Amino acid sequence: MRQIVKLLLVLLVAAAMPIAAGAQPRGGGGGGGGGGGFGFRHGGFAKFHRQGPPPQAPLPVGPWAPPPPGPVMSPGPWRGQQDAVRTGVRGGRLAPLGYVIDNLQRRAPGRQLDTAVEFEDGRAVYRVRWLTNQGRRVDYIVDAATGRYIGER
């Protein structure tokens, strides 16, 4: 078995050597398409590669035509909240969520499921939905300005 593997390895190396050295295959240059080797006899594979964008079909007209594309959907109601939190973190007014998650990880090993910013008693708080390693779901309330634990629900 080892001899067969060695033989196949030697044949593979021998077959690759003329290609690596840039030599022409035997037989005088490989035919009319230049270069030699598989697929180059009749111009190679260039005819299979697209040259530029594909042609576009004309849009249908009439009652069967699809309706024109509508307006782009807004990214969601949470987008403004995310931007406000990012601005607050960059300005130093809010604690980074990574810091909050690290503190919760030390308090109760598990993983974050969801996070939202809410307002309680006039101050911003993170409500972090957490799944403990024991499978219990807890909503932690953390002061968004300081990153300190307030309570849980």
Side-chain angles (χ1 to χ4, degrees):
M1 182 69 178
R2 290 179 86 176
Q3 290 176 342
I4 294 172
V5 172
K6 285 181 183 179
L7 177 64
L8 289 174
L9 184 60
V10 167
L11 289 174
L12 182 64
V13 170
M17 287 181 71
I19 295 170
Q24 295 290 330
R26 292 185 194 165
F38 179 75
F40 293 103
R41 175 173 280 168
H42 300 289
F45 294 106
K47 63 184 173 185
F48 296 110
H49 295 286
R50 292 190 176 157
Q51 306 293 327
Q56 295 198 359
L59 294 175
V61 179
W64 60 86
V72 176
M73 298 297 293
S74 68
W78 42 262
R79 181 66 179 257
Q81 186 183 51
Q82 284 183 344
D83 290 341
V85 170
R86 272 191 208 100
T87 303
V89 169
R90 287 184 186 136
R93 294 182 307 275
L94 297 178
L97 190 57
Y99 173 78
V100 171
I101 298 299
D102 288 343
N103 287 343
L104 291 177
Q105 186 71 32
R106 281 188 230 105
R107 174 178 285 279
R111 66 184 179 98
Q112 170 194 9
L113 295 175
D114 188 328
T115 301
V117 176
E118 298 175 350
F119 290 91
E120 289 186 0
D121 300 327
R123 66 177 172 185
V125 295
Y126 290 122
R127 182 199 36 83
V128 182
R129 190 164 289 153
W130 193 261
L131 181 66
T132 65
N133 287 343
Q134 290 76 30
R136 189 172 145 241
R137 195 198 90 185
V138 181
D139 284 357
Y140 288 111
I141 307 301
V142 178
D143 186 351
T146 62
R148 291 190 320 190
Y149 170 83
I150 296 174
E152 59 187 63
R153 290 186 199 156

